[in-house]
Amino acid sequence: MPSEVKGELSVLAVVLCVHMAVWNQHSWCSIALVIQAFYVQHKWDRLLRSGGAVFQFRPSANSGIVPASMVMPLLGLVLREKCSASGNVYFERFSMVVTITGMMLALFLSLIALGITRPVPTNTCVIAGMAGSAILYTTKQTLTVSEVIEVLEVLLIFVYLSLIVLYLLPRCFTPGEALLIVGGISFIVNQLIKRSLNLAEVKGDPVNYFLPVLVVGSLLLGVFFALLFCFMESESWGSSLFFHMMTAVLGLGILMPWLSLFIGRHPLMWLLDFITLNDRRLCLLAYWVFLSVVASCVVLHQNYQRQSGSKKHQASTIVRKYFHLIVVATYIPGLIYDRQLLHVASVGCLAVFLFLEYVRYFRIRPFGQLLRQLLTLFLDERDSGPLILTHIYLLLGMSLPIWLFPGPCAPKGILPGAGGLVPYAGVLAVGVGDTVASVFGSTMGEIHWPGTKKTLEGTATSVFAQIIAVAMFLIFDSSINLNTTYSWIVGSITLVAMLEAYTSQIDNLLLPLYLFILLLL
């Protein structure tokens, strides 16, 4: 059995686990979606191998349609269950929109593959048609007219944004990764526009508005300069000065006022009061600055060793995992002592990462060329396009469970049972599990999973290390109360570890999201 099929079976197992705990009118649609995605993925894989795809996708990986297609629908299903149990009708309806939007985006990507495949795959078209009919019928029965319009708005943004991103950034994504990333950005953009047009209805924690404004600002900055530098030289001092000026104008003249509309105050003053609320926050910030200095020293030290000729030109797997350990050391104190501060700090870190990647990609003076030289050492086979995204994926993988945590549906901000580990999903799946699997698999692994480079020893030690980490979290975080959900936690960790063993997609993105979904049940 091919390794891709075994990866798809891992996703199917997650889908079945979700529907064992949650069953509603969208469940049949979810099962129909994963079946049609299974057939369509092989059509996408054939297009990628033959070079028949319209855009250039990331090589050395399959299309990844199955795991990517199910993330948003499953996420919406489990969020709806939690919000329904807490009696939060607004977020229950919002979760239904998330589910249907994810299904529509996945169905659209399937239709693209079927439309450009020759000869036309009749059987797959029939299966996709049946799944699409079920989804459309359920949409008509469960969503209001305004919610359907909202889904269509996201779909429209996704179409145009996909054309721009895949044209400007060839070989950076697989079709599944594009669905996951561009689909998520499209949803965020639409939600921000919707809330901006209805400021009277804006409510909730101000912390939650930093991420959408940052995403939209970064998107505008990147698309504008990517198009501009197609017609002018980006490495000159004049162009670099214009880049920095426009970045300042966008940040101070557009994003700051936009953010102030949501939080009711000037963002910088709000941020100053937020940071200086107590001494613990100042201590955490000082600790994080220290770890940032340590990470920078690791980069400089590795580049110095490369220049001195004492090591090969590419960093080893173990060296790259140093950064996973640093990130784990960063996130755990924040998760235990101050999750709101960690939320804001991780959004700020994402802003810095995106800005530095723009500087490196466009060769903006004075640091653009230096960043290219420093980061080249840490490239792996997944960084085959013009962008270097590995470190950004790592940050997203650790932060997404924190950003997606359903605070309004959690009494006192805490979920019972396995839900108490939901914010730790990124730390467990990426920080602990993926790191241990890579290190032990590459150094001690001998028994390979069929059709992959991953080893049985790496997967087993990954599961064992995550179980130990859960025990440590129970000791140091008194808010976690697992009750009798230990077997579910072990099963969830094992399922995600099997997905890691067989997926060729960006595991830093997929693994935390699937563990988040399973722990939220």
Side-chain angles (χ1 to χ4, degrees):
M1 184 183 295
S3 60
E4 293 87 353
V5 175
K6 294 181 180 178
E8 294 159 7
L9 290 178
S10 299
V11 175
L12 179 60
V14 173
V15 173
L16 295 177
C17 286
V18 169
H19 293 307
M20 286 172 58
V22 178
W23 188 267
N24 54 43
Q25 61 267 55
H26 293 125
S27 299
W28 284 113
C29 295
S30 179
I31 294 175
L33 184 69
V34 73
I35 293 173
Q36 73 87 29
F38 175 84
Y39 282 88
V40 171
Q41 174 163 305
H42 294 286
K43 302 302 179 288
W44 264 112
D45 293 342
R46 186 185 303 169
L47 288 169
L48 296 180
R49 288 193 296 267
S50 65
V54 178
F55 297 101
Q56 298 182 57
F57 292 98
R58 183 165 65 87
S60 305
N62 66 355
S63 60
I65 295 297
V66 173
S69 295
M70 301 311 301
V71 170
M72 281 186 70
L74 294 180
L75 183 62
L77 283 171
V78 295
L79 286 175
R80 180 189 176 188
E81 184 69 13
K82 287 298 178 184
C83 295
S84 176
S86 65
N88 193 320
V89 179
Y90 174 81
F91 278 95
E92 183 181 353
R93 301 297 305 180
F94 175 79
S95 301
M96 292 172 63
V97 173
V98 172
T99 300
I100 295 297
T101 301
M103 291 180 180
M104 288 295 187
L105 294 177
L107 196 61
F108 174 76
L109 202 62
S110 300
L111 294 177
I112 292 179
L114 298 178
I116 60 179
T117 300
R118 293 294 181 272
V120 176
T122 306
N123 293 337
T124 306
C125 287
V126 171
I127 294 172
M130 293 172 63
S133 300
I135 293 170
L136 290 174
Y137 177 78
T138 305
T139 301
K140 178 180 179 297
Q141 296 295 318
T142 57
L143 298 189
T144 63
V145 174
S146 61
E147 290 169 342
V148 172
I149 293 174
E150 188 174 342
V151 172
L152 294 177
E153 289 169 349
V154 177
L155 187 58
L156 185 64
I157 296 171
F158 175 79
V159 171
Y160 285 105
L161 197 57
S162 297
L163 293 174
I164 295 171
V165 170
L166 295 177
Y167 175 76
L168 295 176
L169 302 173
R171 304 182 308 280
C172 284
F173 312 102
T174 65
E177 292 161 4
L179 171 63
L180 197 59
I181 296 168
V182 181
I185 293 174
S186 302
F187 192 86
I188 290 174
V189 170
N190 186 66
Q191 287 297 312
L192 188 62
I193 294 173
K194 177 185 173 183
R195 280 163 172 71
S196 299
L197 296 175
N198 297 278
L199 289 174
E201 299 178 6
V202 169
K203 55 183 179 180
D205 195 334
V207 169
N208 296 326
Y209 293 105
F210 278 81
L211 179 63
V213 173
L214 166 67
V215 168
V216 173
S218 301
L219 181 65
L220 292 175
L221 185 69
V223 171
F224 174 76
F225 279 103
L227 296 175
L228 179 66
F229 289 145
C230 288
F231 305 100
M232 63 183 292
E233 180 63 42
S234 65
E235 299 179 46
S236 65
W237 276 106
S239 298
S240 299
L241 181 61
F242 181 67
F243 173 86
H244 292 300
M245 288 178 58
M246 288 302 297
T247 303
V249 168
L250 177 67
L252 299 177
I254 298 178
L255 299 186
M256 287 292 182
W258 198 356
L259 189 56
S260 67
L261 294 175
F262 293 114
I263 64 178
R265 292 183 58 190
H266 192 283
L268 294 181
M269 299 305 299
W270 180 91
L271 191 61
L272 181 62
D273 292 342
F274 179 80
I275 291 173
T276 58
L277 182 65
N278 54 52
D279 293 337
R280 175 179 288 176
R281 288 188 171 178
L282 295 175
C283 292
L284 277 173
L285 286 173
Y287 170 66
W288 290 339
V289 170
F290 169 73
L291 290 179
S292 301
V293 172
V294 171
S296 301
C297 290
V298 171
V299 173
L300 295 174
H301 176 68
Q302 291 298 318
N303 276 272
Y304 172 77
Q305 288 194 323
R306 177 177 66 174
Q307 292 172 2
S308 64
S310 60
K311 282 198 173 184
K312 62 181 182 179
H313 290 295
Q314 289 300 119
S316 65
T317 299
I318 295 178
V319 170
R320 285 197 292 269
K321 297 307 175 183
Y322 288 163
F323 297 102
H324 285 234
L325 296 177
I326 292 173
V327 173
V328 169
T330 301
Y331 273 71
I332 289 179
L335 286 167
I336 294 175
Y337 296 113
D338 200 328
R339 294 178 185 176
Q340 276 202 323
L341 179 64
L342 181 61
H343 185 126
V344 175
S346 58
V347 172
C349 189
L350 178 62
V352 172
F353 277 13
L354 291 174
F355 176 75
L356 292 178
E357 181 56 25
Y358 286 152
V359 170
R360 186 206 65 83
Y361 174 62
F362 295 126
R363 294 186 174 91
I364 301 298
R365 292 173 180 266
F367 301 113
Q369 193 58 40
L370 176 63
L371 287 172
R372 280 181 174 262
Q373 296 171 358
L374 291 176
L375 296 180
T376 301
L377 177 67
F378 300 95
L379 295 178
D380 61 14
E381 68 276 1
R382 293 175 293 185
D383 292 310
S384 54
L387 294 184
I388 299 178
L389 299 171
T390 306
H391 58 298
I392 298 176
Y393 286 143
L394 174 60
L395 176 65
L396 289 176
M398 301 290 284
S399 304
L400 281 172
I402 302 167
W403 298 341
L404 295 173
F405 183 80
C409 302
K412 300 180 180 179
I414 301 172
L415 292 174
L421 291 172
V422 161
Y424 291 89
V427 174
L428 287 171
V430 176
V432 177
D434 185 51
T435 302
V436 171
S438 297
V439 172
F440 279 86
S442 61
T443 56
M444 302 188 332
E446 295 183 358
I447 305 173
H448 290 268
W449 291 107
T452 74
K453 297 179 181 179
K454 309 293 178 64
T455 63
L456 174 63
E457 293 87 349
T459 303
T461 52
S462 166
V463 173
F464 186 63
Q466 290 179 76
I467 293 173
I468 294 177
V470 169
M472 298 298 292
F473 298 154
L474 280 171
I475 295 173
F476 291 102
D477 191 344
S478 58
S479 66
I480 301 175
N481 181 16
L482 300 183
N483 300 325
T484 58
T485 58
Y486 297 100
S487 58
W488 180 264
I489 293 170
V490 173
S492 300
I493 289 173
T494 304
L495 265 180
V496 173
M498 291 302 300
L499 180 61
E500 187 274 337
Y502 281 106
T503 186
S504 59
Q505 306 303 295
I506 300 297
D507 47 13
N508 287 352
L509 275 180
L510 278 179
L511 303 185
L513 289 172
Y514 272 101
L515 187 58
F516 177 92
I517 290 168
L518 289 170
L519 293 178
L520 200 55
L521 290 172

